[in-house]
C-alpha cells in the first residue's frame, strides 16, 4: 500500500470543485480504484462552512457554559463560541471543563469539530453538514472526470478518550463500507472471531493524516493505492447509537459541577 499526497492545491474557496482541483494536480497519482482521503477542513471551505463569532448572538445557556469552560486557546471561553458549538450539536456529553458534543451527523467530538486553525478571513470553520454526502459528491465528480470507482474518505483530526494525543478519523465516506467484518473468520489456531469489526475508514484516515500533517503543509488530499477491502462483509455502522454505547450512557448520568 502506498500513500501519496496531492501537492500544489491552492487555498480552497467557497464553491471550489474539489474533485476537479484534486484530479488536475494528482495526474497519474490518482487512478480508478484508488482511495482518496480529503481533510474536512478543505471540504468545509469548499462548502462555505466558515463563520464568524459575531454571527452567534449569545443565549443564556451559552453564557452559562462559557463561564465554566477552560480557556485553551483564547476563543473557547467566548460565549459566542459556546453558542456556535451549541448550534452545531444535537447533544452535549461533557459541558466542563471542555465541550464534548454530538454533531447532527452522529460524530462525537470536542467543540462539535469547530476549527480555528487553517481558516483565513474568518473566525471559525464548521464541519461539513453531511460529510457522507460530501464524500459522495467528490466521488461522483471524479467519476465525471473518468476516474471510476475511487472511494473517498473525509477525515478530521480528533482527540480520543483514555489516550493522549489526536489522530485522523473518518467522518464521511463513499464508495466503500466503513468497516470490515471479521466475525466468523478464524484465527491461526482455528478459533472463531466473535467481535472484531475493523473500522477501515478510520484506519485509512489515520494513515493519511500522517501524510497531511496538521499545520502549514498544504496537503489536505492523499491518494491511497494498492489497498484492497478484500472479500469480507462490509458494514456502514461507524457512530454508535446511544442504546449501544455504555460510555455515553454513563456520561448522561454524570453530574457536572
Ligand atoms: P483537519 O484535520 O480537517 O482539521 O485539517 P487540518 O487543519 O489539520 O489540515 C490538514 C491539511 O490540509 C494540512 O496539511 C493543512 O496545511 C492543509 N490545508 C488546510 N487548508 C488548506 C487549503 O485551503 N489549501 C491547501 N492546499 N491545504 C490546506
Ligand atoms: Mn484544523
Ligand atoms: Mn478539524
Ligand atoms: Mn488535521
Amino acid at each position: 500500500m502506498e500513500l501519496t499526497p496531492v501537492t500544489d492545491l491552492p487555498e480552497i474557496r467557497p464553491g471550489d470543485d474539489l474533485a476537479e482541483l484534486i484530479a488536475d494536480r494528482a495526474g497519474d497519482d490518482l487512478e480508478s480504484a484508488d482511495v482518496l482521503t480529503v481533510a474536512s477542513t478543505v471540504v468545509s471551505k469548499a462548502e462555505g462552512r466558515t463563520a464568524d463569532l459575531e454571527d452567534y448572538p449569545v443565549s443564556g445557556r451559552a453564557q452559562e457554559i462559557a463561564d465554566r469552560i477552560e480557556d485553551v486557546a483564547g476563543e473557547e471561553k467566548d460565549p459566542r463560541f459556546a453558542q456556535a458549538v451549541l448550534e452545531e450539536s444535537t447533544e452535549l456529553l461533557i459541558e466542563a471543563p471542555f465541550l464534548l458534543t454530538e454533531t447532527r451527523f452522529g460524530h462525537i467530538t470536542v467543540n462539535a469539530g469547530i476549527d480555528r486553525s487553517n481558516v483565513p478571513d474568518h473566525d471559525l470553520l464548521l464541519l461539513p453538514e453531511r460529510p457522507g454526502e460530501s464524500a459522495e459528491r467528490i466521488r461522483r465528480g471524479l467519476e465525471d472526470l473518468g476516474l471510476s470507482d475511487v472511494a473517498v474518505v473525509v477525515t478530521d483530526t480528533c482527540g480520543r478518550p483514555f489516550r493522549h494525543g489526536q489522530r485522523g478519523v473518518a467522518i464521511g465516506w463513499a464508495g466503500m463500507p466503513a468497516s470490515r467484518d471479521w466475525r466468523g473468520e478464524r484465527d491461526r489456531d482455528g478459533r472463531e472471531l466473535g467481535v472484531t469489526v475493523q473500522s477501515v475508514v478510520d484506519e485509512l484516515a489515520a494513515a493519511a493524516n500522517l501524510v497531511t500533517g496538521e499545520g502549514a503543509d498544504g496537503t489536505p488530499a492523499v491518494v491511497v493505492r494498492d489497498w484492497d477491502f478484500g472479500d469480507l462483509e462490509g458494514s456502514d455502522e461507524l457512530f454508535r447509537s446511544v442504546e449501544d454505547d455504555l460510555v455515553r450512557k454513563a456520561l448522561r448520568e454524570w453530574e457536572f459541577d
Side-chain angles (χ1 to χ4, degrees):
M1 155 185 186
E2 216 174 303
L3 288 94
T4 311
V6 178
T7 51
D8 299 326
L9 282 164
E11 177 64 31
I12 301 302
R13 304 264 162 220
D16 278 352
D17 183 335
L18 284 176
E20 197 177 290
L21 287 171
I22 290 168
D24 270 359
R25 283 158 186 81
D28 293 343
D29 284 340
L30 180 59
E31 288 174 355
S32 293
D34 288 339
V35 178
L36 174 73
T37 71
V38 187
S40 54
T41 292
V42 292
V43 175
S44 293
K45 285 178 181 175
E47 294 178 358
R49 293 278 288 160
T50 47
D52 291 298
L53 288 167
E54 66 186 32
D55 302 337
Y56 295 97
V58 176
S59 62
R61 181 95 171 96
Q63 185 64 58
E64 185 187 297
I65 287 168
D67 288 343
R68 284 158 64 200
I69 57 187
E70 232 165 54
D71 195 4
V72 181
E75 265 160 14
E76 269 91 348
K77 243 186 137 37
D78 190 317
R80 297 170 300 173
F81 184 81
Q83 183 66 37
V85 174
L86 284 178
E87 291 185 21
E88 288 301 305
S89 304
T90 52
E91 186 180 347
L92 295 191
L93 285 83
I94 294 178
E95 296 183 17
F98 62 91
L99 283 165
L100 183 73
T101 79
E102 178 179 17
T103 64
R104 283 194 214 99
F105 61 93
H107 170 53
I108 292 174
T109 189
V110 172
N111 293 336
I114 299 177
D115 220 322
R116 287 160 302 114
S117 64
N118 286 320
V119 202
D121 310 329
H122 290 279
D123 300 329
L124 308 174
L125 190 64
L126 315 176
L127 285 180
E129 231 166 332
R130 279 181 281 276
E133 290 176 19
S134 310
E136 181 59 34
R137 263 196 305 279
I138 296 169
R139 175 175 156 82
R140 277 202 305 267
L142 293 172
E143 221 160 54
D144 292 344
L145 297 166
L147 292 158
S148 60
D149 200 27
V150 174
V152 176
V153 179
V154 175
T155 68
D156 195 21
T157 305
C158 287
R160 57 263 172 96
F162 312 116
R163 306 167 81 92
H164 285 292
Q166 289 86 40
R167 52 82 177 86
V169 297
I171 61 169
W173 59 95
M176 68 180 287
S179 306
R180 192 151 77 164
D181 191 346
W182 289 84
R183 290 173 300 180
E185 298 295 308
R186 298 197 176 268
D187 74 4
R188 285 157 58 84
D189 308 309
R191 176 198 272 270
E192 193 175 311
L193 301 178
V195 293
T196 307
V197 178
Q198 181 183 21
S199 169
V200 289
V201 284
D202 277 342
E203 294 185 315
L204 290 167
N209 221 44
L210 290 171
V211 179
T212 62
E214 302 292 350
D217 311 55
T219 47
V222 175
V223 178
V224 181
R225 178 150 308 163
D226 290 335
W227 179 79
D228 182 24
F229 188 89
D231 295 330
L232 294 175
E233 285 286 306
S235 150
D236 263 338
E237 285 183 14
L238 187 66
F239 308 123
R240 278 189 194 277
S241 63
V242 184
E243 303 76 57
D244 178 33
D245 193 333
L246 287 176
V247 175
R248 194 154 156 195
K249 280 186 189 151
L251 283 172
R252 281 188 165 180
E253 315 276 300
W254 185 269
E255 298 282 336
F256 297 98
D257 48 32

